[in-house]
Structure formats: C-alpha cells, structure tokens
Amino acid sequence: MKTSTRVCVIGGGVVGCSALYHLTKLGWSDVMLVERSELTSGSTWHAAGGFHTLNGDTNMAALQGYTIRLYSELEAMTGMSCGLHHVGGVTLADTPERFDMLKAERAKHRFMGLETEILGPDEIKAIAPITNVEGVLGGLYDPLDGHLDPSGTTHAYAKAARMGGATIETHCMVRETNQRADGTWDVVTDKGTIHAEHVVNAGGLWAREVGAMAGVYLPLHPMEHQYLVTDDLPEIYEREVEHPHVMDPGGESYLRQEGRGLCIGFYEQPCKPWAVGGTPWEFGHELLPDDYDKIEDSIAFAYRRYPILERAGVKTVIHGPFTFAPDGNPLVGPVPGLRNYWSACGVMAGFSQGGGVGLTLAQWMVEGEPERDVFAMDVARFGRWITPGYTLPKVVENYQNRFSVVYPNEELPAARPFRTTPMYDVFDSMGAVWGQQYGLEVPNYFAQGDEPRYETPSFRRSNAFEATAREVMAVRGAVGINEVQNFGKYSVTGSGARAWLNRIMAGRIPKPGRISLTPMLAHSGRLIGDFTVACLSESEFRLTASYGAQDFHMRWFEGQLSDDVKIANISDRSTGFQIAGPRARDLLAKVTRADVSNAAFRFLDVKQLSVGMMQATVQRVSYTGDLGYEIYVDAMEQRALWHLLWDAGQEFGLKPFGMRAMMSLRLDKFFGSWMREFSPDYMPGETGMDRFIQWDKNFIGKSAADTERAEGPARQLCSFIVDADDADVIAYEPIWLEGTVQGFCTSGGYSHFAGKSVAFGFVPSERAVEGLEVEIEILGNMHKARLVTDMLFDADGARMRG
Ligand SMILES: Cc1cc2nc3c(=O)[nH]c(=O)nc-3n(C[C@H](O)[C@H](O)[C@H](O)COP(=O)(O)OP(=O)(O)OC[C@H]3O[C@@H](n4cnc5c(N)ncnc54)[C@H](O)[C@@H]3O)c2cc1C
C-alpha cells in the first residue's frame, strides 16, 4: 500500500470516488482513496439511482445539472456503463402554492439554460399515463431527470480516477487521523499508516465517526428510507418508451420504471432516524427490515395517484439509511478550525449531487476556491454552536419537508427556540414574530392587538405586510429600535492590524474614530464579504458583517493571519441596538452627556461613549439608510441598555422594528445585501462595490479586480421599480428585454416608505441606463419594470448625514 500521498480520501461511496476523480481531473495525481470494505459499501449500493436538477438553491441546481451531464462523459472516458436512463421527469402540483413554486423554478431555469417546461394535466397524462391527474393543476417537466446504476456509476468514477493516476485501497479501514505539527496528517489504517498532506472525509454513513477521529463534529444524521419495486406490469413493459419519473410531492413519493415494473419511494411523515448513538462499524451490505407501517398512509395515497399499483405485487423492498444535514444540503469544503481537513459528506442525493460535490471540493483544494458561490453546501454555514441535539430534530424536519413547498418567508419550527439573546422574553412579550438566523432567534416583526403571532408562508405578500409597513413608517417618521445581535462582529487587534486589514480588505481602512465600508475579495476578485470597519485606535479595529457568515469569514481570516495581529469573533459578546429615524439623535442625546450634535458626531464616526451605566461603542451608521446609530455593549448589559433606551425613547415615539422592516427600509436606498446582491458569484465592478475600493494599495484579489476595471463589467447590478400586484421579486426571477431573457434579479421586495415594489438585478452593461423598460417574470407572469437610479428616500443623503 502507498504510505505517502498528497490527498487521502476516506470512503469509497459515490461521493468519495467522485472527489478522487475530480482531483485527478484538475491535475493532482498523487491522490488515494481508502475504503474499509468494497467500494459502495455505505448508502451507495442501495440507492434508487434517481437524478434530477430541481433544487431551491440556484447554484446547487447548476451543480446538479453538471453532475447529470458528466455521466455520459464518464462512460465515454472509461468504457464502463453507468446504466443511464434519461427518461425525463415531471413534478406534480396539486395546490396553487406548489404550482407557484414550480413556475418560479421554471422562470429561474430560463437564465440557467435548463430546458424545463410547465405542463398541464392532460400533457402529464399523455407522457405519464398511469398517473391519475385528478386534482393536479400542472407540473414541471425536466428532460434531464432519469436514473442510473449506482454501483456501475461509482465504479466508473473509480476507474476514471485510476486513469488519472489515483490509487484505491479497499479493505482498508481507517482507525485514526492524527495531525502533525506541520498540518499534515497520519491516517492510521488496518494496513498501516498513510502520511497525507490533506484528508477528505467522505465517510457517508460513518462521516460522524470519521470526523470524531479528528475531533470534528459534522452536523449530519442518517435517516431510514424505503422504496418498493413491483412485479412486472403489462401497462409498463408493453409501452414503446420508458415511463418517465413522476414526483408527487402531495403524496411525498417518487415513481419510475424499474425493468418491466415500477419503483416507488416515499418521504413519509412518520419517518425514523437511524443509528442515533452512532453508525455501527459492522453495518455493511445489509438492509433494514421492511417497515410497511410507517409508509401505510403514503401507500394509500399512491394507490389513488397511480391506481395500477393496487394490483401490482411487490417484488422487492429496499430499506436503508442515508445521511442528511439539518437543511438537506451537503457539507463540503475546508472544515473551519482545522488545517488540511476537508468535508465531502452529508450528501443525501449522491447521484444528483455527487459530481458537483466532487468538482467543488477539487476546485477548492487545487485552485484555492470553488468557481461559484457554494455557500448553500459549505460546511462553514453551520457555526460552532451546532450540536447533535440540534441536528437530529432538524434532520427529521428536513426529511419530512423533502417534498414540501419551500416558501421564501418560511420559518421552520424544529429545534427552536435554541439560541436567544437576553432580549428574548422582552421582545416576546411585545408580540415578536420570530425568525431564525444561524441558530439565533431574531424578531421578524412585532404583531399587535389580535394580529396572529405567525407569518403565513407565501410567495406573495404575507400577513406581515401591515405590521412591516407600521414599523417602516415608525422609523421614517420618528425613531425605531432594533437589536444588532445578528451582525457578525470581529475584533482585530495588534501592531499589525492596519497593515493586515489593508491587505485583507479592498477598501480604505479608516482613521481612528472613523468607519468605512469595504468589500473583501477572494484571490479571484470575487466578493467574499462586505464589511463595516471601525477604527477604535491604531491597534484596535471592529468589523461587522453578516451574522450567518461567521465561520465562513473566520475560516478565511484564520488562513490569512500574521504574527502581529489577532482576530476574535465577538458576535455574541458584543451586542446592543440600532436606533434609526429623524429622532434618533434626540434619543441618543437624552441617554448620554457626550455631545452628539452633527458637528461633534458625524456620519461614519465611531465613539466610545458613556450611555447610562454602560460604556458603549457607538457607530453613526444605519442599514436603514436613515439618521441612525448602532450602540454596542457587553451582552451582559444589553437589557440595561434596552430599558434605558426604551424609557427615554417614549417621548420621541420609539417603536421596535424587525428584520422584515429592515429589509424593506434598505430598498429605499438601493442597499445591497450579503448573499443576495453580494456573494462569491459576483465581482466588485458589476455590483457597484468597486466604488469602495482603494485602488492605489495592494490587497487580495487586486489583479482580478484591476482586470475587471480595465475591461469593464459585462453586466451591471441595477435597481428597478416593478409594476407588481400581490407578489414582489424574491430572487433569480428572469429579466426580459425585447422578448429574450437578458438578466436576472438578485432580490427585491416592497418599499413601504415609497409604496413601490423594488427589484435589484443584473442587465447587460450597455443597457443599464435610467428609464430602461424591462419585464420581470414573477411566478410565471410578466411585469413591467423600469430601471431607476434615484434613491426612493433621502436621495441626497441629507438626512443620513445631517
Ligand atoms: C433507500 C435509498 C434510496 C436512495 N435513492 C437515491 C436516489 O434515487 N438518488 C440519489 O441521488 N440518492 C439516493 N439515495 C442516497 C444515496 O445513496 C446517497 O446520497 C449516497 O450514496 C451517499 O454516498 P456517500 O459516498 O456520501 O456515502 P456512502 O455510500 O455511505 O459511502 C461511504 C463509504 O465510506 C466508507 N467508510 C466509512 N468509514 C470508513 C473508514 N473509517 N475507513 C474506510 N472507509 C470508510 C464506507 O464503507 C462507505 O463505502 C438513496 C439512499 C437510500 C438509503
């Protein structure tokens, strides 16, 4: 056995083999895979082998498209069969909400180049005749859907990897992974120790156990899953063409032809987690006992949808476990806090996603970063707060919701409340309707009187509309208060802090007492952060950014650290409130003796102030685009600060506001938002973030940013006023110009202040001029929209700066 390698991939399921192949594809041939048994000895061997592109996350959908297109390439390269059946598939909609979701998906596919199609019930019946279309409103047809042979495909990946120089060691169980001081790894196996520069955990069903060998907790959990294969059915084998896949979300089932019969699987509500205490090492090529009880209701539903099933005998039952992360997406990338340790696990749809996961991982390892925004499957999207106790109920919820409509405003209830601030009870008693961000409870809005404490999930304007309008007007008309807990906050200290920040951040690093806004770029020049930097002194800076990106940002920071600088994540230690609106200064003046007049405390100043009993860091900046201040104190003092501000604020009409109002207020000033307008999919020039760049210094990503600047971006992020009815832009709606799709939206919503529907999106740069008339497709309907450049509130900044 080889005892030294650049990469040791642990696990020979479809994901490990894909990762191994992609490493060779990108030029690393000194790579090996170790498998405790034969290849495909985990979930892989008993998969139903179905594949599809549909995914709520656009980049995940693109990677699924990549995976599916890869199979014929693999077959051609290796001469091995993946057993491909490109039969196409249709997802049914039996409620208007589900039909809305499918139409929104179809619209996204237009600019992704996916040839999906909305079908009516008769068209569905024509291509999938065994379907009872009663109650079906329509469906989304995807010609790329199909199925394959899981074992053949995994072996094809393995052969392709071997052809690229990789070695595979089967019957080689990994017992320990021990890191050396230089960051390389000793992988201790039954056949000896392998010295590897990098370790990839592709342990599938055993990924938790493999992770624990390196002291890592990877948030995933196995679930039991069952599908049935019927006896031969003449209605199937007498057909001239293979029956397409039918996904029936209403019945939580997927169905396809298997040989001369059918195969149907269920995501049943009475589902069961498997191996809660850990996956036994002796589990291998066996199945779980049949369990008809838990799928009884699903089968009854399936009999109505596909009456043919009632007289079909069951030939085989496949019941096995596979793993899920809390949100159902894979866990991929460098594990935060560890060097040279990579995750490629939590892949619940290995045959839809395995290729994309392998490609992403290989790009990250070989080229330093993936080619697109992969946050939806980044292992860093869960913070270090995550625990097995949280993961389990979330995974159960995810399994149960596998076929549910995913609403943009939906707040899923499992494992909540978990992380709360000292304000939880206070806000709760004030009618807070809660959302969750990165495990943290955050007020979305405050219900009043007999308004329900629950926001109706919807693609259209929800029942939060009135409350949001009320909170927006309270800010614009007087003063609003909102917790600043949900910002990621970092303290950067040390003699080298300024020099370090100058290299890490593309923008100007402010002088003591001042604040600046700056993008952070990857080496490729793409955006990996939009930060507010406050300079407290030459050796102490505060950074604020997105709360949900904490591990994502810390992983990057830690990878760039030098000896003369220290960085600490203080997101949960430093908290407080922002106050915003025309009376915000009056309120601040009432709680501090300091001079907070405009002359003494200017826009983008930062000051250490005595506020009541607290020593606070106060920043004059507000994401509402209004006159506003962010007041930060130690978390232990947050309630005292609240009572002080709340009592003092009554005479100025102080009202609390939540995230829904915040996201409406930002629209008035065309402020972009992290992971919407700004993400690793975009460059600074095309998003307008280049205006914050300090071009005469060296920073990470400079040469790529320079190139974009010299060439000029091909597309430009713009703002639009949309002639909408009851539904606003959410994200990724296509933008039509003269009858063709020429751009897409990044986000949007309703400006309650301006009474207008606003959208942000990209159009070709040469068309990005004031007054451009476009059409935006929202939920399948075309809406006129006009490009605008004048902000809807405080266009000259007089209020924000005054
Ligand atoms: C009933 C069922 C039906 C399914 N249907 C579909 C479907 O239609 N389409 C689809 O896309 N997906 C389907 N899946 C899911 C699919 O099977 C998984 O997404 C996929 O197999 C995950 O592959 P993996 O490589 O991550 O993990 P695994 O297949 O579990 O592979 C992990 C491998 O790592 C090895 N390993 C673990 N620990 C060690 C160690 N310490 N040392 C050495 N080797 C180790 C194991 O032996 C194993 O071979 C289904 C799953 C089930 C259970």
Side-chain angles (χ1 to χ4, degrees), residues 421-441:
T421 76
M423 289 305 297
Y424 185 79
D425 295 341
V426 176
F427 283 156
D428 205 51
S429 70
M430 295 173 83
V433 178
W434 295 98
Q436 198 192 41
Q437 286 181 10
Y438 203 62
L440 175 76
E441 294 296 322

PDB file of all heavy atoms in Angstrom, residues 421-441:
ATOM      1  N   THR A 421     -31.078  35.844  22.761  1.00  0.00           N
ATOM      2  CA  THR A 421     -30.338  36.905  23.450  1.00  0.00           C
ATOM      3  C   THR A 421     -31.094  37.251  24.740  1.00  0.00           C
ATOM      4  O   THR A 421     -32.229  36.802  24.943  1.00  0.00           O
ATOM      5  CB  THR A 421     -30.226  38.164  22.576  1.00  0.00           C
ATOM      6  OG1 THR A 421     -31.488  38.823  22.589  1.00  0.00           O
ATOM      7  CG2 THR A 421     -29.816  37.835  21.153  1.00  0.00           C
ATOM      8  N   PRO A 422     -30.491  38.097  25.572  1.00  0.00           N
ATOM      9  CA  PRO A 422     -31.201  38.493  26.798  1.00  0.00           C
ATOM     10  C   PRO A 422     -32.529  39.195  26.497  1.00  0.00           C
ATOM     11  O   PRO A 422     -33.362  39.364  27.381  1.00  0.00           O
ATOM     12  CB  PRO A 422     -30.211  39.460  27.461  1.00  0.00           C
ATOM     13  CG  PRO A 422     -28.873  39.077  26.929  1.00  0.00           C
ATOM     14  CD  PRO A 422     -29.108  38.611  25.537  1.00  0.00           C
ATOM     15  N   MET A 423     -32.755  39.596  25.255  1.00  0.00           N
ATOM     16  CA  MET A 423     -33.971  40.319  24.895  1.00  0.00           C
ATOM     17  C   MET A 423     -35.140  39.402  24.571  1.00  0.00           C
ATOM     18  O   MET A 423     -36.243  39.875  24.314  1.00  0.00           O
ATOM     19  CB  MET A 423     -33.695  41.210  23.670  1.00  0.00           C
ATOM     20  CG  MET A 423     -32.817  42.389  23.950  1.00  0.00           C
ATOM     21  SD  MET A 423     -33.488  43.389  25.284  1.00  0.00           S
ATOM     22  CE  MET A 423     -35.025  43.902  24.563  1.00  0.00           C
ATOM     23  N   TYR A 424     -34.915  38.096  24.560  1.00  0.00           N
ATOM     24  CA  TYR A 424     -35.946  37.200  24.040  1.00  0.00           C
ATOM     25  C   TYR A 424     -37.296  37.385  24.735  1.00  0.00           C
ATOM     26  O   TYR A 424     -38.325  37.592  24.086  1.00  0.00           O
ATOM     27  CB  TYR A 424     -35.474  35.743  24.141  1.00  0.00           C
ATOM     28  CG  TYR A 424     -36.451  34.790  23.503  1.00  0.00           C
ATOM     29  CD1 TYR A 424     -36.480  34.621  22.126  1.00  0.00           C
ATOM     30  CD2 TYR A 424     -37.381  34.098  24.272  1.00  0.00           C
ATOM     31  CE1 TYR A 424     -37.386  33.771  21.513  1.00  0.00           C
ATOM     32  CE2 TYR A 424     -38.297  33.246  23.668  1.00  0.00           C
ATOM     33  CZ  TYR A 424     -38.299  33.089  22.301  1.00  0.00           C
ATOM     34  OH  TYR A 424     -39.208  32.253  21.697  1.00  0.00           O
ATOM     35  N   ASP A 425     -37.292  37.334  26.050  1.00  0.00           N
ATOM     36  CA  ASP A 425     -38.576  37.424  26.767  1.00  0.00           C
ATOM     37  C   ASP A 425     -39.214  38.800  26.608  1.00  0.00           C
ATOM     38  O   ASP A 425     -40.428  38.929  26.521  1.00  0.00           O
ATOM     39  CB  ASP A 425     -38.377  37.116  28.256  1.00  0.00           C
ATOM     40  CG  ASP A 425     -37.927  35.682  28.443  1.00  0.00           C
ATOM     41  OD1 ASP A 425     -38.129  34.888  27.515  1.00  0.00           O
ATOM     42  OD2 ASP A 425     -37.343  35.385  29.506  1.00  0.00           O
ATOM     43  N   VAL A 426     -38.363  39.826  26.600  1.00  0.00           N
ATOM     44  CA  VAL A 426     -38.888  41.195  26.462  1.00  0.00           C
ATOM     45  C   VAL A 426     -39.583  41.341  25.104  1.00  0.00           C
ATOM     46  O   VAL A 426     -40.738  41.775  25.017  1.00  0.00           O
ATOM     47  CB  VAL A 426     -37.737  42.240  26.581  1.00  0.00           C
ATOM     48  CG1 VAL A 426     -38.269  43.646  26.352  1.00  0.00           C
ATOM     49  CG2 VAL A 426     -37.035  42.121  27.926  1.00  0.00           C
ATOM     50  N   PHE A 427     -38.886  40.934  24.053  1.00  0.00           N
ATOM     51  CA  PHE A 427     -39.470  41.056  22.709  1.00  0.00           C
ATOM     52  C   PHE A 427     -40.676  40.131  22.557  1.00  0.00           C
ATOM     53  O   PHE A 427     -41.652  40.476  21.894  1.00  0.00           O
ATOM     54  CB  PHE A 427     -38.423  40.736  21.631  1.00  0.00           C
ATOM     55  CG  PHE A 427     -37.440  41.856  21.382  1.00  0.00           C
ATOM     56  CD1 PHE A 427     -36.181  41.588  20.843  1.00  0.00           C
ATOM     57  CD2 PHE A 427     -37.761  43.182  21.648  1.00  0.00           C
ATOM     58  CE1 PHE A 427     -35.277  42.618  20.593  1.00  0.00           C
ATOM     59  CE2 PHE A 427     -36.854  44.210  21.400  1.00  0.00           C
ATOM     60  CZ  PHE A 427     -35.611  43.935  20.875  1.00  0.00           C
ATOM     61  N   ASP A 428     -40.583  38.970  23.168  1.00  0.00           N
ATOM     62  CA  ASP A 428     -41.695  38.031  23.054  1.00  0.00           C
ATOM     63  C   ASP A 428     -42.960  38.643  23.670  1.00  0.00           C
ATOM     64  O   ASP A 428     -44.050  38.540  23.106  1.00  0.00           O
ATOM     65  CB  ASP A 428     -41.333  36.714  23.749  1.00  0.00           C
ATOM     66  CG  ASP A 428     -42.124  35.555  23.173  1.00  0.00           C
ATOM     67  OD1 ASP A 428     -42.119  35.405  21.923  1.00  0.00           O
ATOM     68  OD2 ASP A 428     -42.757  34.832  23.947  1.00  0.00           O
ATOM     69  N   SER A 429     -42.773  39.316  24.795  1.00  0.00           N
ATOM     70  CA  SER A 429     -43.949  39.920  25.453  1.00  0.00           C
ATOM     71  C   SER A 429     -44.454  41.133  24.652  1.00  0.00           C
ATOM     72  O   SER A 429     -45.562  41.595  24.870  1.00  0.00           O
ATOM     73  CB  SER A 429     -43.607  40.328  26.891  1.00  0.00           C
ATOM     74  OG  SER A 429     -42.717  41.434  26.841  1.00  0.00           O
ATOM     75  N   MET A 430     -43.649  41.620  23.739  1.00  0.00           N
ATOM     76  CA  MET A 430     -44.091  42.746  22.898  1.00  0.00           C
ATOM     77  C   MET A 430     -44.687  42.265  21.580  1.00  0.00           C
ATOM     78  O   MET A 430     -44.991  43.071  20.709  1.00  0.00           O
ATOM     79  CB  MET A 430     -42.893  43.668  22.598  1.00  0.00           C
ATOM     80  CG  MET A 430     -42.348  44.351  23.836  1.00  0.00           C
ATOM     81  SD  MET A 430     -40.828  45.262  23.457  1.00  0.00           S
ATOM     82  CE  MET A 430     -41.510  46.779  22.820  1.00  0.00           C
ATOM     83  N   GLY A 431     -44.843  40.951  21.424  1.00  0.00           N
ATOM     84  CA  GLY A 431     -45.510  40.429  20.230  1.00  0.00           C
ATOM     85  C   GLY A 431     -44.572  39.990  19.118  1.00  0.00           C
ATOM     86  O   GLY A 431     -45.007  39.846  17.971  1.00  0.00           O
ATOM     87  N   ALA A 432     -43.299  39.768  19.454  1.00  0.00           N
ATOM     88  CA  ALA A 432     -42.351  39.402  18.392  1.00  0.00           C
ATOM     89  C   ALA A 432     -42.809  38.150  17.640  1.00  0.00           C
ATOM     90  O   ALA A 432     -43.234  37.168  18.238  1.00  0.00           O
ATOM     91  CB  ALA A 432     -40.965  39.156  18.990  1.00  0.00           C
ATOM     92  N   VAL A 433     -42.712  38.214  16.323  1.00  0.00           N
ATOM     93  CA  VAL A 433     -42.903  37.039  15.475  1.00  0.00           C
ATOM     94  C   VAL A 433     -41.496  36.662  15.039  1.00  0.00           C
ATOM     95  O   VAL A 433     -40.813  37.434  14.374  1.00  0.00           O
ATOM     96  CB  VAL A 433     -43.807  37.373  14.268  1.00  0.00           C
ATOM     97  CG1 VAL A 433     -43.964  36.145  13.371  1.00  0.00           C
ATOM     98  CG2 VAL A 433     -45.167  37.857  14.761  1.00  0.00           C
ATOM     99  N   TRP A 434     -41.063  35.472  15.480  1.00  0.00           N
ATOM    100  CA  TRP A 434     -39.642  35.137  15.435  1.00  0.00           C
ATOM    101  C   TRP A 434     -39.203  34.483  14.140  1.00  0.00           C
ATOM    102  O   TRP A 434     -39.938  33.686  13.554  1.00  0.00           O
ATOM    103  CB  TRP A 434     -39.290  34.210  16.598  1.00  0.00           C
ATOM    104  CG  TRP A 434     -39.459  34.851  17.929  1.00  0.00           C
ATOM    105  CD1 TRP A 434     -40.538  34.732  18.763  1.00  0.00           C
ATOM    106  CD2 TRP A 434     -38.544  35.740  18.580  1.00  0.00           C
ATOM    107  NE1 TRP A 434     -40.345  35.487  19.891  1.00  0.00           N
ATOM    108  CE2 TRP A 434     -39.128  36.122  19.807  1.00  0.00           C
ATOM    109  CE3 TRP A 434     -37.284  36.250  18.259  1.00  0.00           C
ATOM    110  CZ2 TRP A 434     -38.502  36.977  20.710  1.00  0.00           C
ATOM    111  CZ3 TRP A 434     -36.656  37.109  19.148  1.00  0.00           C
ATOM    112  CH2 TRP A 434     -37.266  37.462  20.352  1.00  0.00           C
ATOM    113  N   GLY A 435     -37.994  34.793  13.766  1.00  0.00           N
ATOM    114  CA  GLY A 435     -37.327  34.065  12.697  1.00  0.00           C
ATOM    115  C   GLY A 435     -36.039  33.502  13.261  1.00  0.00           C
ATOM    116  O   GLY A 435     -35.674  33.789  14.403  1.00  0.00           O
ATOM    117  N   GLN A 436     -35.354  32.695  12.466  1.00  0.00           N
ATOM    118  CA  GLN A 436     -34.097  32.148  12.954  1.00  0.00           C
ATOM    119  C   GLN A 436     -32.985  32.408  11.942  1.00  0.00           C
ATOM    120  O   GLN A 436     -33.171  32.222  10.737  1.00  0.00           O
ATOM    121  CB  GLN A 436     -34.221  30.645  13.185  1.00  0.00           C
ATOM    122  CG  GLN A 436     -33.111  30.143  14.097  1.00  0.00           C
ATOM    123  CD  GLN A 436     -33.016  28.636  14.138  1.00  0.00           C
ATOM    124  OE1 GLN A 436     -33.145  27.970  13.118  1.00  0.00           O
ATOM    125  NE2 GLN A 436     -32.756  28.087  15.296  1.00  0.00           N
ATOM    126  N   GLN A 437     -31.863  32.897  12.439  1.00  0.00           N
ATOM    127  CA  GLN A 437     -30.689  33.102  11.593  1.00  0.00           C
ATOM    128  C   GLN A 437     -29.499  32.460  12.271  1.00  0.00           C
ATOM    129  O   GLN A 437     -29.149  32.862  13.378  1.00  0.00           O
ATOM    130  CB  GLN A 437     -30.380  34.604  11.464  1.00  0.00           C
ATOM    131  CG  GLN A 437     -31.318  35.361  10.590  1.00  0.00           C
ATOM    132  CD  GLN A 437     -30.925  36.830  10.502  1.00  0.00           C
ATOM    133  OE1 GLN A 437     -29.863  37.238  10.948  1.00  0.00           O
ATOM    134  NE2 GLN A 437     -31.801  37.608   9.942  1.00  0.00           N
ATOM    135  N   TYR A 438     -28.900  31.472  11.626  1.00  0.00           N
ATOM    136  CA  TYR A 438     -27.680  30.873  12.166  1.00  0.00           C
ATOM    137  C   TYR A 438     -27.926  30.407  13.613  1.00  0.00           C
ATOM    138  O   TYR A 438     -27.120  30.645  14.491  1.00  0.00           O
ATOM    139  CB  TYR A 438     -26.594  31.945  12.098  1.00  0.00           C
ATOM    140  CG  TYR A 438     -25.157  31.479  12.071  1.00  0.00           C
ATOM    141  CD1 TYR A 438     -24.656  30.696  11.046  1.00  0.00           C
ATOM    142  CD2 TYR A 438     -24.277  31.871  13.078  1.00  0.00           C
ATOM    143  CE1 TYR A 438     -23.328  30.321  11.017  1.00  0.00           C
ATOM    144  CE2 TYR A 438     -22.946  31.500  13.063  1.00  0.00           C
ATOM    145  CZ  TYR A 438     -22.477  30.726  12.020  1.00  0.00           C
ATOM    146  OH  TYR A 438     -21.154  30.367  12.005  1.00  0.00           O
ATOM    147  N   GLY A 439     -29.088  29.828  13.816  1.00  0.00           N
ATOM    148  CA  GLY A 439     -29.428  29.296  15.131  1.00  0.00           C
ATOM    149  C   GLY A 439     -29.984  30.316  16.099  1.00  0.00           C
ATOM    150  O   GLY A 439     -30.454  29.965  17.182  1.00  0.00           O
ATOM    151  N   LEU A 440     -29.963  31.581  15.733  1.00  0.00           N
ATOM    152  CA  LEU A 440     -30.356  32.658  16.664  1.00  0.00           C
ATOM    153  C   LEU A 440     -31.795  33.106  16.398  1.00  0.00           C
ATOM    154  O   LEU A 440     -32.185  33.291  15.244  1.00  0.00           O
ATOM    155  CB  LEU A 440     -29.420  33.850  16.455  1.00  0.00           C
ATOM    156  CG  LEU A 440     -29.745  35.112  17.258  1.00  0.00           C
ATOM    157  CD1 LEU A 440     -29.334  34.935  18.716  1.00  0.00           C
ATOM    158  CD2 LEU A 440     -29.046  36.325  16.657  1.00  0.00           C
ATOM    159  N   GLU A 441     -32.556  33.298  17.467  1.00  0.00           N
ATOM    160  CA  GLU A 441     -33.914  33.842  17.326  1.00  0.00           C
ATOM    161  C   GLU A 441     -33.836  35.343  17.092  1.00  0.00           C
ATOM    162  O   GLU A 441     -33.196  36.071  17.869  1.00  0.00           O
ATOM    163  CB  GLU A 441     -34.730  33.550  18.586  1.00  0.00           C
ATOM    164  CG  GLU A 441     -35.009  32.083  18.816  1.00  0.00           C
ATOM    165  CD  GLU A 441     -35.868  31.433  17.732  1.00  0.00           C
ATOM    166  OE1 GLU A 441     -36.799  32.087  17.228  1.00  0.00           O
ATOM    167  OE2 GLU A 441     -35.586  30.268  17.390  1.00  0.00           O
TER     168      GLU A 441
END
